[in-house]
Amino acid sequence: MKRSLLAALAALFFLSGCAGQGPESGPAAQPSQSAAASSAAQSAPEPPAPTPSEEPAVPDTPEERARALLADMTLEEKAGQLFFARCPAENAAQDVSAYHLGGYILFGRDTKGKTACGLIRDIASYQEAADIPLLIGVDEEGGSVVRVSSNSNLREQKFQSPQAVYSAGGIDGVLADAHEKDLLLRGLGFNVNLAPVADVSTDPGDFIYGRTLGADAQTTAGYVSAVTEQMAQDGMGSVLKHFPGYGNNPDTHTGSAVDDRPLETFQTSDFLPFSAGLSSSRTAAVLVSHNIVRCMDPELPASLSPAVHQTLRELMTQAGRANGVVMTDDLAMDAVEQYAQDGSAAVLAVQAGNDLLISSDYRAQIPQVLAAAQDGTLDTALIDTACLRVLTWKAELGLL
């Protein structure tokens, strides 16, 4: 299934200038080969048409295509597909093949100073190395989190925050903004934007406030529904974050956060935007935070908690997305480090019910997942289930 995406990506949006650099850059550079192929095709005898009973069944739904692919995969390939890895500074293309990665997330370091053509070529090289097409993701929320538009070579100005866009243009402005992001990102080779932020926050003092719509639950739910629907129409995967709702908790990049709010608050407020986004889009996934939410699990971070994932899966089922993709926040964050001292954070994450694992240290985590599967610590059925969901998402995004 290995494929070269360079020509296709370069033809998108305003980036056509990246193609055709040299006499051998396109199909027209090799007319003799094309003519030879055409002549051979014309002279070859046609095989007899199969009878109806001999015609193989062609998978015609995303899940059927995913199941057909899963049936021929090794344990190593399945485990690799569970990793939505942070793109490394070196050997990125080689690692795609070596670890059978499910995808790469690019950060500011990976786009800084790049031209559009240069970034397209980088992403195309990753896809070229993949036997199964990669998820290529980025955090382009707008405002303070802009991994692509922070580079003026890629966009003249940074995308504004959701609050600024909504204040200036209402929901129509939000949709126009989302569409422009999708065009830009797809033109560069991305197929997943880790947005929108579905957290409810109305207090400017909250850590998460500036990344949210800054509105009540109902208004935020309407915003999330509209954005995810637009992204689906544009062929862009969306990621609702940070389940079960960030609230007024501190930054989990640098330490633990404990949420003491009652379950009723989540049910009547925080869950609403997630339900709305899932109901509006077949290509929306959910990212789970590292907050410890005591009303659901007083011991474990949400990202590693089976109880939290059971609650999320029930919510997804109610929204008609029982088999949608659930992913962790980055497992390298300080908030989960202490829980993996006696084992792999990735193993704990799969056991909890995650399908995709965002990981900066995948080179260490993947072997630990494989070892746990081989010694029986990790049920391989969990790997199969998670991998099927990941492959189905890829099929829904048109990658398979």
Side-chain angles (χ1 to χ4, degrees), residues 6-11 15-29 117 120-121:
L6 182 55
L9 292 172
L15 303 170
S16 58
C18 299
Q21 297 179 2
E24 298 182 357
S25 61
C117 292
I120 286 172
R121 283 192 288 267

Side-chain angles (χ1 to χ4, degrees), residues 16 34 82 131 142 186 206 209 233 241 246 258 334 346 352 370:
S16 58
S34 297
L82 309 190
D131 288 323
R186 280 179 59 86
D206 293 347
Y209 175 80
Q233 291 175 4
K241 56 189 187 185
Y246 211 92
V258 179
D334 290 348
L370 290 172

